[in-house]
Structure formats: C-alpha cells, structure tokens
Amino acid sequence: MIERILGYIEDYQVKKAFWAAAKNVEHDEAKQELFLQIIFFANNVAQLQGDAEKIKALADGGNPYMQMAYARLHDVLQPEKDSNTIKEHYYKMAANNGIGDAYVHLAYMYRDADLGEIDPDAYKSLMAKAQQHHSERAMAQAFRDSLCGANDVPCTPEMIYEGAKSLWENSAFPHPTYLMLMGEALEKMNRKDEAIKMYQQAAMNGCSQGFYRWAIAAYCNENYQVEDREEFMEVMQKGIDVQAADCYTMYAILMESVDFDALSQEEQQQATKTLYDDLRMGWMLGESTCAYFLGTYFENGTYGFERNAEEAWLWYSRGANLRCAFAWAAMSHMALHDHTAPEGYGEERGYECAYRALALGNDDLLDEVIAGYRSGFLSQHTAMIEKKWLPQYHNQLSHFVDDLPDYDDDDDDDGYNDDHEYQYDGEPEREVDEDDCSTVSTDLIWQACMNNIMGALERVRNQEREWEVAGLISAYLNGADDLLAIPLRLDDLYSANDSLLEIISDHPRLKLRLLRCQLRVLREIEAEADHELGLTEDVERDVRELSRIIDLADEGRLNEIPQTGHLKRDPVEWTEQWEAVIDEADRQAYSRLKGVPRGMGFCFSFWHERQLALHKLGVVWRNPHQMNPRVMFD
C-alpha cells in the first residue's frame, strides 16, 4: 500500500494518494507521514475541495488528520467569509490531538494577522511547540526564516543546503520540500544550474511548485523577464497539467504591452479571454497572485480588460483574503490616494489595508501606517504599532538621518549655519529619557527634511548632480507627512513646498505628491486660522489638472495629453516609464559631458546624450528642438 501511495504522489493523482493514505491513518505511522506530506502543499489541497463535506464529517467524528485536512481546505481556498475562524477551530483540534503541523499553521495565523492582529510572541511559541512535535513543516519554515534573515540565529545558505540535504537523504519518506529548500539555498550561493536540477527533482517527486521555480530559474533573467519563451511555456504547461496554481500565471508573465498591441483585434480578444480564464483558475486553486494580476488589469484597463474600479477592488479583495500583501497595498492605494474604492471604503478602510499589507511583509507601507496612526486611525492596532512598528519607523529614520550629508561646513558651535540662519540654541547635548522620545523623533524628522531641501536646492543652484534632486524631494516628503500634525511647522512646510515646486521637473507623479502635500498644509493652516485662503483653490486646480494628465498617460492616451506651456513637450514625459528612468538617463548623459562648458549650444549636446541614454533604457524621446523645429534654442 505504501508503494502505491508513493506512486500516486509522483504521478500527481492527488485524490487517490490522499484517500489511500487516509485509510487507517490514525494507526499507521507511515501513512501519517505521507498524509501530512500530501496536504503540506497548497496545490494538492486545492484538488480536494470536491471532497470537503466528506472530510468535514470525518473531522467532526474525531479524526485528527481529517481535522487537519479540513482546516487546510479553508486555509488555502478561503471558501467562506468566516474561513479564518473555521480553520482556527480545526487546527486547534488537530493540534490538541498531537499533530505538530497544526501548530505551524496556527502560528502563521498570528504572524499574518488572519484574526485581525499580528502576535509575534504567539508565533514563536507555537512554532516551538511544532518543533517539539517533530513537525516537518516547522523544520522547513525554520530553514526559510534563516534564508530570509528572519531567524535570531544566523545561518548561511551553505548550512541550510547541507541541513536540507541530510534530511532528504536520511528520511524514510523523503519530503520534496527539502529539495525546494536546497534549490533556494543554491540560488543564494549563485549555483543556479544545480538549483534548477533540485527544482526539477522536486517536480518529479510530487511537488508541483517545483515546475514554477524551475521555469523561472531556468528561463527568466534576474528581473523575471522571460528569455526563452518556448522552453518557459513548456515547463509551465507541465505544471498546469497537474493543476499547479502558480503556473496559471504563465500568460500574465509572458504578456507585454508591445506584444498585445501588435496583435489583431481577434487575437487581442482571445488573449484577454485566456488571461482571464487562466488567472481565474489559478485563484480558484488558491494562488493569490492570480487575483492580484486580475485586479491590476481591471484597475488600469490593460490587455483588453475594461477599466472597472469595482471589479478591480473585488479581485484585489480575493487576493488579499489569500494573504497577498500586494493586493492589500493596492486596496489601500485605491482608498487613500486614487479615491476609486467602492462607496463606503474611505480612509479608515484604506489605512487598515495598509496595515495588513505591512503585517504580511510589505515594508513600503510603514510610512502609510504611521501616518494613519498619527491621524487617529488604526486605534485597534495601537498597542502593536507602538510596540513594533513605531520603534521600527524611528530606527529607520535615525539611520536615514545619520546617512545624510552635512550642509553646514561651520566647525564652530555657535548655533548658526554659513548663511547666518539660526539653527539651534547651542546648548550642550543632554541625555534623553523616554518622555522626550516624541520630541527627539520630531526633531530628527525636521532635520532630515531641512537637509533634503537644502540638498535639492544646492543641486539645482550649482547645476551639480541634478539627477539626485527627485530622490531628495521624495525623502523630504516622507518626513513632511509626519510634521503636518505640528502647527508650529506649517508655515515652514508651506515655504519648503513652494521652493521645491519651483525646481522640480521631469517627475509629474512626484510633483503631484508634492502638490498634495502642499494642499494638506494649506488646509491645516486654514483650520488653524479659521478662514479660507485663495491659494488653496489654485493648488486644488493644479492637483486636478496634473492628475488628469497622469491618468491619460497611464491609460496610454498620449495623443490626448494637452500641451501646457509655450513649448511643446513629447507626451512620453508624462509616463511612468519615463519617470522611472529619467534620473539614470541624466546621470549617464552628464557623465559623458563631464568637462564640457555649459555655454551656448550645450543644450543640443545634452539632449543628444539624454536621447541615447533613454533609448538604452527603453524610452524613445523627442527632444524640445524636434518638438519645436521653428524655435531657436541657444
């Protein structure tokens, strides 16, 4: 019987393997090990959904392995609104009956905020219990934590490889997850060819996730762009044939705008249908990324999908339910910034989505979460924010400030900078107790903001390293958001924003962010003074106009973008693609013009070098002379 079960596993006959292992499982240690190995993989669990009622009946009858299986069904597929409560209940029953893997999945619930809040202490405690019960899943997670640098005890990829190899070679029923771990460690060691062989072996031993990792490692570059389409498709199709959920992302990975635009109308319609059908199937099998992809297509109206904010929100929600941090982040952005979330989902929901994304590992949302917390939202998470996220934010900010250049070359401690502007009172430093932490943090943020303003203005004034200006403005805005709650800083923030708006160029989205910050400052000033300012309407108009142009660019409607100045500009300058590479293009252009005097005719040399650099970075740009052939430039 054991050999037959092993054969079913290798042939991906999941249901046959599951029910063969389930027979008499409570009294057969070999079957217990194989049963847990089968439901270890989400791709296998998804194929058992047709047997959910039968599994539930056995679970309710007291079979701890069926309790574990039923919990896994709700964990992987989230078929009901209260699936998190259901899986918690059955995991607890399985854990109380001695199944170590159940402790691991309970730990994940506390790690990933499945019940609304993270609990790092509960995670560690439950993982320790799982290891005491000799859980294979706990052992694999410990290896993965080490690979990601999340373990308290450092562990090199070489050590992880050897440990996983030993477990694979010395197990009665080798667990293919160890082959996956060996592959991941080998990739960290830059031994890619060997890693690919491990993924291939994992796929041949019943781990369908091995197909996806094999295809990505073998046929994609470091930016996950497919370099060998035919081979990539062949391996991914093998995964689809055994219902590997992650392999249903094949066409989404392959699809590029230029490919879609080159298709005939009939081919485009077929491509859109294939994308939808495949990604929907992947989501039904528990792959959160598939739902996220569909959300982006509906939100942006790409690849033939009709732009539909409600449909985008629905698919993002489905991805979020399956623990996709990107989906939570997208929902947060829709609610807080684009204001395209369905009615009833405002700031409160937006900040909650940001918190969930952060809890799932998206550290880019840390600033958003702190901003929400300081604005009076996320009160249900106050304890955890103050315990975990706020110290992390302050630590991150302190490191940032330490790395900033010092623009005051004065060595004396008279409290003035070189321009004789008052900076501080010159009092000696003193030790800071806990009650002063908020003040110290505010001062650090303020100093960081001022340094970035000075740096940006200095770059433009001296025409040196101007490609760094956008980065300095972005860093300034990260700190400025935190200072909005301090009335004494409002006038200073207004002046800072006004100065930066004068110098910012080539970054429409960053300028929009700066304008929105200025609008918030003006509204705060109005609230403090209890009267309206005429300037506010001007900034509101600028925000609307710039938002409209950016929307046109994002939708690919470049021909509809209006010319806003005396000189015509290439509409590509409004695109996100342009904004992502222009600083690097300018850095390359100026490096090739080093030593060339910036006198008459310099602009033509610069435009030429900028065009060449942009072309290498994938952007075709027409310079001002090409856009305005009848205008004389000096």
Side-chain angles (χ1 to χ4, degrees):
M1 176 59 75
I2 296 300
E3 290 299 321
R4 184 185 303 172
I5 296 171
L6 289 170
Y8 288 150
I9 291 173
E10 290 179 3
D11 292 339
Y12 288 97
Q13 298 184 59
V14 174
K15 283 192 175 185
K16 287 185 177 181
F18 176 84
W19 288 111
K23 189 174 182 180
N24 201 35
V25 66
E26 293 176 90
H27 309 290
D28 188 323
E29 289 187 8
K31 286 186 175 181
Q32 290 169 10
E33 191 169 340
L34 290 174
F35 184 94
L36 292 175
Q37 187 177 129
I38 292 165
I39 63 172
F40 181 97
F41 298 110
N43 285 333
N44 289 344
V45 173
Q47 296 183 51
L48 300 173
Q49 54 190 311
D51 297 329
E53 291 303 316
K54 182 179 179 181
I55 293 171
K56 182 179 185 299
L58 291 168
D60 291 339
N63 185 323
Y65 291 90
M66 290 300 167
Q67 291 164 359
M68 181 70 188
Y70 191 64
R72 288 288 288 144
L73 276 167
H74 278 274
D75 202 348
V76 172
L77 301 173
Q78 293 285 308
E80 300 178 29
K81 286 186 177 180
D82 59 346
S83 280
N84 282 333
T85 302
I86 294 171
K87 74 183 184 186
E88 181 190 27
H89 173 68
Y90 283 94
Y91 277 141
K92 282 184 175 179
M93 285 199 295
N96 290 335
N97 283 305
I99 297 182
D101 283 6
Y103 285 109
V104 176
H105 290 287
L106 285 169
Y108 290 159
M109 293 187 71
Y110 289 104
R111 181 195 66 183
D112 299 333
D114 285 355
L115 301 175
E117 186 57 278
I118 65 168
D119 189 337
D121 294 333
Y123 172 77
K124 289 181 180 179
S125 174
L126 288 164
M127 289 298 286
K129 286 184 179 179
Q131 291 180 354
Q132 290 169 9
H133 283 79
H134 308 291
S135 162
E136 294 272 9
R137 187 131 204 160
M139 212 171 303
Q141 186 60 51
F143 279 132
R144 284 216 162 78
D145 286 345
S146 294
L147 271 176
C148 298
N151 261 353
D152 295 332
V153 180
C155 197
T156 66
E158 288 80 5
M159 294 167 63
I160 292 168
Y161 172 77
E162 292 299 332
K165 182 181 179 183
S166 176
L167 288 166
W168 168 258
E169 292 177 344
N170 296 302
S171 173
F173 304 108
H175 205 303
T177 193
Y178 294 126
L179 293 169
M180 297 289 287
L181 282 165
M182 290 160 66
E184 291 169 33
L186 286 164
E187 284 201 79
K188 292 273 187 181
M189 296 155 61
N190 294 318
R191 293 161 59 180
K192 195 172 182 179
D193 290 343
E194 295 174 74
I196 293 167
K197 291 179 181 178
M198 288 299 145
Y199 298 141
Q200 291 171 335
Q201 191 175 350
M204 297 305 110
N205 278 271
C207 175
S208 61
Q209 293 165 336
F211 289 110
Y212 177 83
R213 294 300 296 266
W214 168 8
I216 295 294
Y219 306 116
C220 294
N221 61 24
E222 59 185 13
N223 296 318
Y224 300 101
Q225 295 172 321
V226 179
E227 295 185 321
D228 189 330
R229 294 173 67 93
E230 289 187 9
E231 294 291 341
F232 176 82
M233 291 178 68
E234 182 178 340
V235 175
M236 292 286 273
Q237 187 60 52
K238 289 179 180 178
I240 290 173
D241 291 342
V242 296
Q243 291 195 294
D246 41 11
C247 288
Y248 283 91
T249 61
M250 174 173 66
Y251 284 109
I253 295 172
L254 286 169
M255 186 63 68
E256 295 177 89
S257 298
V258 64
D259 295 330
F260 187 83
D261 293 341
L263 299 176
S264 67
Q265 185 176 359
E266 183 179 349
E267 290 171 331
Q268 287 183 348
Q269 291 173 349
Q270 182 58 48
T272 302
K273 184 180 185 303
T274 300
L275 276 171
Y276 181 81
D277 290 346
D278 274 20
L279 292 172
R280 187 174 184 278
M281 177 58 74
W283 162 70
M284 291 177 65
L285 291 171
E287 178 53 52
S288 64
T289 308
C290 291
Y292 170 72
F293 274 130
L294 283 172
T296 64
Y297 296 161
F298 280 110
E299 183 181 14
N300 300 312
T302 49
Y303 303 133
F305 286 79
E306 182 179 354
R307 196 172 190 183
N308 187 321
E310 289 191 5
E311 195 73 12
W313 182 271
L314 173 64
W315 281 107
Y316 285 143
S317 299
R318 288 168 172 171
N321 286 340
L322 295 174
R323 292 175 171 151
C324 178
F326 293 118
W328 282 113
M331 293 166 69
S332 174
H333 193 82
M334 287 181 72
L336 295 176
H337 301 290
D338 289 346
H339 307 293
T340 54
E343 187 175 353
Y345 294 102
E347 286 187 290
E348 185 173 352
R349 181 58 175 167
Y351 284 119
E352 178 65 25
C353 290
Y355 185 84
R356 295 298 298 274
L358 179 62
L360 284 166
N362 190 335
D363 292 338
D364 291 340
L365 272 294
L366 178 59
D367 289 350
E368 195 83 84
V369 166
I370 299 303
Y373 159 76
R374 288 177 171 168
S375 299
F377 297 96
L378 301 172
S379 56
Q380 69 274 32
H381 301 298
T382 296
M384 186 53 60
I385 288 173
E386 293 178 350
K387 177 182 178 181
K388 178 179 174 65
W389 305 116
L390 204 54
Q392 182 175 319
Y393 176 79
H394 288 156
N395 184 56
Q396 177 178 302
L397 183 62
S398 297
H399 286 303
F400 170 70
V401 173
D402 289 342
D403 292 338
L404 286 171
D406 183 6
Y407 293 102
D408 180 10
D409 295 328
D410 240 350
D411 291 331
D412 61 341
D413 193 25
D414 59 3
Y416 291 84
N417 65 12
D418 288 338
D419 294 326
H420 302 286
E421 295 169 336
Y422 188 68
Q423 289 188 305
Y424 58 91
D425 60 13
E427 292 181 3
E429 295 182 4
R430 61 181 177 84
E431 292 187 7
V432 179
D433 58 31
E434 292 182 6
D435 293 334
D436 292 322
C437 284
S438 61
T439 303
V440 171
S441 298
T442 299
D443 289 341
L444 283 172
I445 296 169
W446 181 245
Q447 185 59 49
C449 287
M450 291 303 99
N451 278 339
N452 281 307
I453 293 168
M454 293 171 65
L457 294 173
E458 185 174 298
R459 296 284 191 273
V460 174
R461 183 171 63 245
N462 297 334
Q463 295 184 326
E464 293 178 351
R465 304 178 69 86
E466 293 170 89
W467 56 86
E468 294 179 350
V469 168
L472 290 168
I473 293 176
S474 180
Y476 154 74
L477 284 169
N478 290 340
D481 286 344
D482 295 296
L483 293 166
L484 279 166
I486 307 171
L488 294 175
R489 301 292 192 196
L490 292 175
D491 288 341
D492 292 328
L493 285 172
Y494 171 80
S495 298
N497 290 339
D498 195 49
S499 297
L500 295 177
L501 284 167
E502 290 292 325
I503 67 170
I504 192 170
S505 62
D506 296 320
H507 291 80
R509 286 157 189 78
L510 184 59
K511 184 174 183 178
L512 180 59
R513 186 180 165 199
L514 187 57
L515 281 168
R516 284 173 171 161
C517 178
Q518 186 71 312
L519 186 58
R520 288 175 64 191
V521 170
L522 287 168
R523 285 172 176 166
E524 291 289 340
I525 292 174
E526 287 180 334
E528 288 290 323
D530 196 24
H531 69 80
E532 295 182 355
L533 300 172
L535 285 170
T536 304
E537 291 185 6
D538 295 336
V539 176
E540 286 176 340
R541 184 189 63 248
D542 291 343
V543 167
R544 284 195 303 271
E545 291 179 355
L546 186 53
S547 297
R548 185 171 64 88
I549 292 174
I550 289 173
D551 284 344
L552 290 172
D554 289 345
E555 292 168 14
R557 297 158 62 187
L558 301 187
N559 292 335
E560 299 176 37
I561 294 176
Q563 294 292 340
T564 57
H566 297 298
L567 295 175
K568 292 181 179 179
R569 299 169 57 185
D570 189 333
V572 76
E573 295 178 29
W574 298 102
T575 65
E576 192 169 9
Q577 184 184 16
W578 160 279
E579 196 163 354
V581 301
I582 186 59
D583 289 330
E584 173 58 20
D586 282 355
R587 185 194 67 78
Q588 293 180 22
Y590 279 119
S591 69
R592 285 192 289 269
L593 294 171
K594 190 174 182 180
V596 177
R598 296 197 182 188
M600 180 130 356
F602 177 81
C603 62
F604 294 102
S605 298
F606 172 69
W607 292 338
H608 174 70
E609 294 296 341
R610 179 189 256 194
Q611 275 185 314
L612 292 176
L614 283 169
H615 185 72
K616 289 180 181 178
L617 294 167
V619 175
V620 177
W621 174 64
R622 292 169 292 176
N623 67 45
H625 182 58
Q626 291 169 319
M627 293 296 297
N628 304 271
R630 296 182 181 181
V631 175
M632 291 187 65
F633 296 90
D634 61 14

